[in-house]
């Protein structure tokens, strides 16, 4: 078991480093002095956090417990993640929605106020610039959270199009929430523990919904969402209140909710079949190929109007040439870029994320294969360090999701 845990940790560390290198170049080799720190940095260190470079930040990959144990604990009890390295921003103005709909695939106009959805920023070729959760606070206020490693790229992209839009008379402005920190509270104890710290009735708040409310005495943005497949919340809190809130959440859980790092966050999202940008989504992969066609609203499919719409809508009509699928496999855990072959030894794709599932106690992976080889039950070979091992295409998520829905 010790060897298995070590391999799991090494696998996740490599996978995160690979995504980091793709998104921010060689900055992953920056010295400690060059790395940014969240306001909880000292709190992580005091609690045994093993800090590693990620997307230009010093972030905890794990704490005193193993990655396997913390993954399982999230599903059985709960986890508290510091995700303040991610970038929250607000777009405001009467033309905010038409502006944003030029850049993303979501039907933002169709969202009810106080609700949100996963979406994708696309380029002119239909590829994914980044994935994001977009929330309609009101008809003239949109709240977004984008990935840390894509921050500079995303903000430059938004700003370029905003300047053009405003030059033609469009009313839109933005605010980047660098004054706030972001905590992710995930797992079956997330709601009952958070309820101790707010007067709002969380039982009436469902997956994808957003509120501005007081939590532990601080004005917070609360979204019922997450990156684990579990019920949970992302809490945007003024940075001066972040440490007190983190301590209060851990205290109210009586030790059952634990501080959790990037290692378990990665294994949890893989078990939930969720993409890691830089591995499973990149600028040459479209939302259709990534299995995110459901995120393209019906009206958007009819009208288009977003970057790369012609390519994406054609793929919806005709079908994509490649598709993201899940795998179970034998042998060592698959790694990013492991070759996928059919039964005749012909290359049909490659793995983008893979590892040993702490909850299922077996190898899981996702990757892209040529259409025709994507159906569940299809037998494949996965090549790892020059040797081929049996694999089978399987549906995702690997672990059932537990989102809190009506």
């Amino acid at each position: 078991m010790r060897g298995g845990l070590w391999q799991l940790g090494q696998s996740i560390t490599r996978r995160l480093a690979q995504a980091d290198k793709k998104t921010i170049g060689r900055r992953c080799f920056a010295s400690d002095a060059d790395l940014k720190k969240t306001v909880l940095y000292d709190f992580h260190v005091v609690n045994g956090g093993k800090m590693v470079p990620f997307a230009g930040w010093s972030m905890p990959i794990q704490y005193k417990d193993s990655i396997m144990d913390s993954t399982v604990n999230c599903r059985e009890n709960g986890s508290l993640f510091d995700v303040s390295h991610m970038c929250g921003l607000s777009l405001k103005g009467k033309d905010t929605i038409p502006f944003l709909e030029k850049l993303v695939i979501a039907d933002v106009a169709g969202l009810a106020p106080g609700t949100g959805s996963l979406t994708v920023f696309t380029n002119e070729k239909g590829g994914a610039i980044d994935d994001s959760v977009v929330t309609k606070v009101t008809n003239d206020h949109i709240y977004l959270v984008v990935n840390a490693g894509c921050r500079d790229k995303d903000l430059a992209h938004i700003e370029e199009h905003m300047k053009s839009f405003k030059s033609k008379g469009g009313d839109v402005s933005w605010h980047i929430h660098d004054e706030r920190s972001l905590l992710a509270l995930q797992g079956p104890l997330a709601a009952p523990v958070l309820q101790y710290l707010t007067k709002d009735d969380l039982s009436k708040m469902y997956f994808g919904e957003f509120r501005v409310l007081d939590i532990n005495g601080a004005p917070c943005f609360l979204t019922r969402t997450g990156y684990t497949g579990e019920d949970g919340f992302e809490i945007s809190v003024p940075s001066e209140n972040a440490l007190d809130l983190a301590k209060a959440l851990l205290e109210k859980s009586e030790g059952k909710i634990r501080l959790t790092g990037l290692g378990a966050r990665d294994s949890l999202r893989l078990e939930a079949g969720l993409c890691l940008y830089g591995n499973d989504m990149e600028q040459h992969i479209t939302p259709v190929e990534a299995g995110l066609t459901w995120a393209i609203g019906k009206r958007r499919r009819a009208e288009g109007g977003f970057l790369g719409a012609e390519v994406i809508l054609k793929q919806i009509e005709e079908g994509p040439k490649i598709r993201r699928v899940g795998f179970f496999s034998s042998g060592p855990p698959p790694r990013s870029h492991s070759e996928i072959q059919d039964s005749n030894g012909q290359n049909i794709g490659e793995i983008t994320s893979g590892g040993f599932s702490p909850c299922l106690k077996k190898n899981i992976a996702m990757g892209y294969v040529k259409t025709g080889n994507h159906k569940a039950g299809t037998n494949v070979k996965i090549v790892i360090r020059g040797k081929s091992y049996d694999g089978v295409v399987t549906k995702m998520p690997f672990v059932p999701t537990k989102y809190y829905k009506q």
Side-chain angles (χ1 to χ4, degrees), residues 196-230:
Y196 286 122
L197 303 178
T198 183
K199 295 179 180 178
D200 283 58
D201 184 358
L202 299 180
S203 70
K204 301 294 194 296
M205 184 179 184
Y206 299 97
F207 179 71
E209 293 189 353
F210 172 94
R211 290 184 189 176
V212 179
L213 73 172
D214 184 281
I215 300 175
N216 200 45
C220 295
F221 304 159
L222 184 67
T223 310
R224 197 152 197 166
T225 187
Y227 194 48
T228 64
E230 297 294 315

Short mmCIF file of all heavy atoms in Angstrom, two decimals, residues 196-230:
data_model
loop_
_atom_site.label_atom_id
_atom_site.label_comp_id
_atom_site.label_asym_id
_atom_site.label_seq_id
_atom_site.Cartn_x
_atom_site.Cartn_y
_atom_site.Cartn_z
N TYR A 196 -24.10 26.38 10.14
CA TYR A 196 -23.81 26.97 11.45
C TYR A 196 -23.36 28.42 11.35
O TYR A 196 -23.49 29.18 12.31
CB TYR A 196 -22.68 26.18 12.13
CG TYR A 196 -23.08 24.84 12.68
CD1 TYR A 196 -22.43 23.68 12.24
CD2 TYR A 196 -24.07 24.70 13.65
CE1 TYR A 196 -22.76 22.43 12.74
CE2 TYR A 196 -24.41 23.46 14.15
CZ TYR A 196 -23.76 22.32 13.69
OH TYR A 196 -24.10 21.09 14.19
N LEU A 197 -22.83 28.82 10.20
CA LEU A 197 -22.18 30.12 10.08
C LEU A 197 -22.99 31.14 9.29
O LEU A 197 -22.51 32.24 9.02
CB LEU A 197 -20.80 29.95 9.41
CG LEU A 197 -19.84 28.99 10.12
CD1 LEU A 197 -18.53 28.88 9.33
CD2 LEU A 197 -19.56 29.44 11.55
N THR A 198 -24.22 30.81 8.92
CA THR A 198 -25.06 31.76 8.20
C THR A 198 -26.51 31.60 8.61
O THR A 198 -26.95 30.50 8.97
CB THR A 198 -24.92 31.58 6.67
OG1 THR A 198 -25.72 32.57 6.00
CG2 THR A 198 -25.37 30.20 6.22
N LYS A 199 -27.26 32.68 8.54
CA LYS A 199 -28.68 32.66 8.88
C LYS A 199 -29.53 32.24 7.68
O LYS A 199 -30.70 31.87 7.85
CB LYS A 199 -29.12 34.03 9.39
CG LYS A 199 -28.47 34.43 10.71
CD LYS A 199 -28.93 35.82 11.15
CE LYS A 199 -28.28 36.21 12.48
NZ LYS A 199 -28.68 37.57 12.91
N ASP A 200 -28.97 32.33 6.47
CA ASP A 200 -29.73 31.93 5.27
C ASP A 200 -29.96 30.42 5.27
O ASP A 200 -29.09 29.64 5.68
CB ASP A 200 -28.96 32.32 4.01
CG ASP A 200 -29.06 33.81 3.70
OD1 ASP A 200 -28.66 34.62 4.58
OD2 ASP A 200 -29.52 34.14 2.62
N ASP A 201 -31.13 30.02 4.79
CA ASP A 201 -31.49 28.60 4.76
C ASP A 201 -30.85 27.94 3.53
O ASP A 201 -31.32 28.12 2.40
CB ASP A 201 -33.02 28.45 4.71
CG ASP A 201 -33.46 27.00 4.77
OD1 ASP A 201 -32.59 26.10 4.81
OD2 ASP A 201 -34.69 26.77 4.75
N LEU A 202 -29.80 27.18 3.74
CA LEU A 202 -29.07 26.57 2.63
C LEU A 202 -29.83 25.40 2.01
O LEU A 202 -29.52 24.98 0.90
CB LEU A 202 -27.69 26.10 3.10
CG LEU A 202 -26.76 27.20 3.63
CD1 LEU A 202 -25.43 26.61 4.06
CD2 LEU A 202 -26.55 28.28 2.57
N SER A 203 -30.84 24.88 2.70
CA SER A 203 -31.62 23.78 2.13
C SER A 203 -32.44 24.23 0.94
O SER A 203 -32.91 23.41 0.14
CB SER A 203 -32.54 23.16 3.19
OG SER A 203 -33.60 24.05 3.53
N LYS A 204 -32.62 25.56 0.79
CA LYS A 204 -33.37 26.10 -0.34
C LYS A 204 -32.44 26.57 -1.47
O LYS A 204 -32.89 27.19 -2.42
CB LYS A 204 -34.24 27.28 0.13
CG LYS A 204 -35.23 26.93 1.22
CD LYS A 204 -36.30 25.96 0.70
CE LYS A 204 -37.49 25.87 1.66
NZ LYS A 204 -37.14 25.30 2.97
N MET A 205 -31.17 26.29 -1.32
CA MET A 205 -30.18 26.68 -2.33
C MET A 205 -29.69 25.42 -3.02
O MET A 205 -29.17 24.51 -2.38
CB MET A 205 -29.01 27.42 -1.66
CG MET A 205 -27.99 27.96 -2.63
SD MET A 205 -26.67 28.85 -1.73
CE MET A 205 -25.69 29.45 -3.12
N TYR A 206 -29.83 25.38 -4.36
CA TYR A 206 -29.55 24.15 -5.09
C TYR A 206 -28.30 24.30 -5.97
O TYR A 206 -27.76 25.39 -6.15
CB TYR A 206 -30.77 23.76 -5.94
CG TYR A 206 -31.99 23.49 -5.08
CD1 TYR A 206 -32.95 24.48 -4.88
CD2 TYR A 206 -32.14 22.27 -4.43
CE1 TYR A 206 -34.05 24.25 -4.07
CE2 TYR A 206 -33.24 22.03 -3.61
CZ TYR A 206 -34.19 23.03 -3.44
OH TYR A 206 -35.27 22.80 -2.63
N PHE A 207 -27.86 23.17 -6.50
CA PHE A 207 -26.67 23.13 -7.34
C PHE A 207 -26.74 24.17 -8.46
O PHE A 207 -27.74 24.27 -9.16
CB PHE A 207 -26.52 21.72 -7.95
CG PHE A 207 -25.33 21.56 -8.85
CD1 PHE A 207 -24.05 21.53 -8.33
CD2 PHE A 207 -25.50 21.45 -10.23
CE1 PHE A 207 -22.95 21.37 -9.17
CE2 PHE A 207 -24.41 21.29 -11.07
CZ PHE A 207 -23.13 21.26 -10.54
N GLY A 208 -25.69 24.96 -8.59
CA GLY A 208 -25.63 25.98 -9.62
C GLY A 208 -26.18 27.32 -9.20
O GLY A 208 -26.09 28.29 -9.96
N GLU A 209 -26.75 27.43 -7.98
CA GLU A 209 -27.31 28.69 -7.53
C GLU A 209 -26.28 29.55 -6.80
O GLU A 209 -25.30 29.04 -6.25
CB GLU A 209 -28.53 28.45 -6.65
CG GLU A 209 -29.69 27.83 -7.42
CD GLU A 209 -30.98 27.77 -6.62
OE1 GLU A 209 -30.96 28.09 -5.41
OE2 GLU A 209 -32.00 27.40 -7.20
N PHE A 210 -26.54 30.85 -6.79
CA PHE A 210 -25.61 31.85 -6.27
C PHE A 210 -26.34 32.81 -5.34
O PHE A 210 -27.47 33.20 -5.62
CB PHE A 210 -25.01 32.63 -7.45
CG PHE A 210 -24.17 33.83 -7.07
CD1 PHE A 210 -22.80 33.73 -6.94
CD2 PHE A 210 -24.77 35.07 -6.87
CE1 PHE A 210 -22.03 34.84 -6.60
CE2 PHE A 210 -24.01 36.19 -6.54
CZ PHE A 210 -22.64 36.07 -6.40
N ARG A 211 -25.68 33.18 -4.25
CA ARG A 211 -26.24 34.19 -3.34
C ARG A 211 -25.12 35.08 -2.82
O ARG A 211 -23.97 34.67 -2.71
CB ARG A 211 -26.92 33.54 -2.13
CG ARG A 211 -28.22 32.80 -2.43
CD ARG A 211 -28.84 32.28 -1.14
NE ARG A 211 -29.97 31.40 -1.40
CZ ARG A 211 -30.64 30.75 -0.46
NH1 ARG A 211 -30.26 30.90 0.82
NH2 ARG A 211 -31.65 29.96 -0.76
N VAL A 212 -25.50 36.31 -2.50
CA VAL A 212 -24.64 37.20 -1.72
C VAL A 212 -25.20 37.20 -0.31
O VAL A 212 -26.37 37.55 -0.11
CB VAL A 212 -24.62 38.62 -2.31
CG1 VAL A 212 -23.73 39.53 -1.46
CG2 VAL A 212 -24.13 38.60 -3.76
N LEU A 213 -24.41 36.78 0.67
CA LEU A 213 -24.93 36.63 2.01
C LEU A 213 -23.82 36.75 3.05
O LEU A 213 -22.64 36.76 2.71
CB LEU A 213 -25.66 35.29 2.17
CG LEU A 213 -24.83 34.00 2.24
CD1 LEU A 213 -25.73 32.83 2.60
CD2 LEU A 213 -24.11 33.71 0.95
N ASP A 214 -24.23 36.86 4.29
CA ASP A 214 -23.28 36.98 5.39
C ASP A 214 -22.91 35.59 5.89
O ASP A 214 -23.79 34.78 6.21
CB ASP A 214 -23.92 37.79 6.53
CG ASP A 214 -22.95 38.03 7.68
OD1 ASP A 214 -22.76 37.09 8.50
OD2 ASP A 214 -22.41 39.13 7.76
N ILE A 215 -21.60 35.30 5.92
CA ILE A 215 -21.11 34.03 6.45
C ILE A 215 -20.03 34.34 7.49
O ILE A 215 -19.04 35.01 7.17
CB ILE A 215 -20.53 33.12 5.34
CG1 ILE A 215 -21.60 32.80 4.30
CG2 ILE A 215 -19.98 31.84 5.94
CD1 ILE A 215 -21.08 32.01 3.11
N ASN A 216 -20.24 33.89 8.69
CA ASN A 216 -19.28 34.12 9.78
C ASN A 216 -18.95 35.59 9.95
O ASN A 216 -17.83 35.98 10.25
CB ASN A 216 -18.00 33.32 9.53
CG ASN A 216 -17.18 33.11 10.78
OD1 ASN A 216 -17.72 32.77 11.83
ND2 ASN A 216 -15.86 33.31 10.69
N GLY A 217 -19.96 36.45 9.70
CA GLY A 217 -19.79 37.88 9.88
C GLY A 217 -19.18 38.62 8.72
O GLY A 217 -18.89 39.82 8.83
N ALA A 218 -18.98 37.95 7.58
CA ALA A 218 -18.36 38.59 6.42
C ALA A 218 -19.28 38.51 5.20
O ALA A 218 -19.97 37.50 5.01
CB ALA A 218 -17.02 37.94 6.10
N PRO A 219 -19.32 39.55 4.34
CA PRO A 219 -20.14 39.51 3.13
C PRO A 219 -19.49 38.62 2.07
O PRO A 219 -18.39 38.89 1.60
CB PRO A 219 -20.17 40.97 2.67
CG PRO A 219 -18.89 41.56 3.22
CD PRO A 219 -18.60 40.84 4.50
N CYS A 220 -20.17 37.54 1.71
CA CYS A 220 -19.59 36.54 0.82
C CYS A 220 -20.43 36.33 -0.43
O CYS A 220 -21.64 36.58 -0.44
CB CYS A 220 -19.46 35.21 1.56
SG CYS A 220 -18.31 35.23 2.95
N PHE A 221 -19.78 35.87 -1.49
CA PHE A 221 -20.45 35.33 -2.67
C PHE A 221 -20.46 33.82 -2.47
O PHE A 221 -19.40 33.20 -2.31
CB PHE A 221 -19.70 35.64 -3.96
CG PHE A 221 -19.43 37.10 -4.22
CD1 PHE A 221 -18.42 37.46 -5.10
CD2 PHE A 221 -20.18 38.10 -3.63
CE1 PHE A 221 -18.16 38.80 -5.36
CE2 PHE A 221 -19.93 39.44 -3.88
CZ PHE A 221 -18.91 39.78 -4.75
N LEU A 222 -21.62 33.21 -2.51
CA LEU A 222 -21.72 31.77 -2.29
C LEU A 222 -22.33 31.09 -3.51
O LEU A 222 -23.42 31.46 -3.95
CB LEU A 222 -22.58 31.48 -1.05
CG LEU A 222 -22.69 30.01 -0.65
CD1 LEU A 222 -21.35 29.47 -0.17
CD2 LEU A 222 -23.76 29.82 0.42
N THR A 223 -21.64 30.11 -4.06
CA THR A 223 -22.14 29.34 -5.19
C THR A 223 -22.17 27.88 -4.80
O THR A 223 -21.18 27.35 -4.27
CB THR A 223 -21.23 29.51 -6.43
OG1 THR A 223 -21.00 30.90 -6.67
CG2 THR A 223 -21.88 28.89 -7.65
N ARG A 224 -23.30 27.21 -5.02
CA ARG A 224 -23.38 25.78 -4.71
C ARG A 224 -22.83 25.01 -5.91
O ARG A 224 -23.54 24.71 -6.87
CB ARG A 224 -24.80 25.36 -4.37
CG ARG A 224 -24.84 24.00 -3.65
CD ARG A 224 -26.04 23.86 -2.75
NE ARG A 224 -25.86 22.77 -1.80
CZ ARG A 224 -26.62 22.58 -0.72
NH1 ARG A 224 -27.62 23.42 -0.45
NH2 ARG A 224 -26.39 21.58 0.10
N THR A 225 -21.54 24.74 -5.85
CA THR A 225 -20.85 24.10 -6.96
C THR A 225 -19.55 23.52 -6.43
O THR A 225 -19.31 23.51 -5.22
CB THR A 225 -20.58 25.11 -8.09
OG1 THR A 225 -20.05 24.44 -9.24
CG2 THR A 225 -19.58 26.19 -7.66
N GLY A 226 -18.70 23.02 -7.29
CA GLY A 226 -17.42 22.49 -6.87
C GLY A 226 -16.77 21.68 -7.96
O GLY A 226 -17.25 21.62 -9.09
N TYR A 227 -15.67 21.01 -7.60
CA TYR A 227 -14.83 20.34 -8.59
C TYR A 227 -14.53 18.91 -8.15
O TYR A 227 -13.50 18.35 -8.49
CB TYR A 227 -13.54 21.14 -8.74
CG TYR A 227 -12.67 20.83 -9.92
CD1 TYR A 227 -13.17 20.72 -11.21
CD2 TYR A 227 -11.30 20.68 -9.75
CE1 TYR A 227 -12.35 20.46 -12.29
CE2 TYR A 227 -10.45 20.43 -10.82
CZ TYR A 227 -10.98 20.31 -12.09
OH TYR A 227 -10.15 20.06 -13.16
N THR A 228 -15.46 18.33 -7.37
CA THR A 228 -15.22 17.01 -6.80
C THR A 228 -16.29 15.99 -7.14
O THR A 228 -16.09 14.79 -6.93
CB THR A 228 -15.14 17.10 -5.27
OG1 THR A 228 -16.41 17.53 -4.76
CG2 THR A 228 -14.05 18.07 -4.82
N GLY A 229 -17.44 16.44 -7.65
CA GLY A 229 -18.58 15.56 -7.84
C GLY A 229 -19.45 15.45 -6.62
O GLY A 229 -20.53 14.87 -6.67
N GLU A 230 -19.00 16.02 -5.49
CA GLU A 230 -19.78 16.02 -4.26
C GLU A 230 -20.64 17.27 -4.16
O GLU A 230 -20.41 18.26 -4.87
CB GLU A 230 -18.84 15.96 -3.05
CG GLU A 230 -18.00 14.70 -2.97
CD GLU A 230 -18.83 13.45 -2.75
OE1 GLU A 230 -19.74 13.48 -1.89
OE2 GLU A 230 -18.55 12.43 -3.42
#
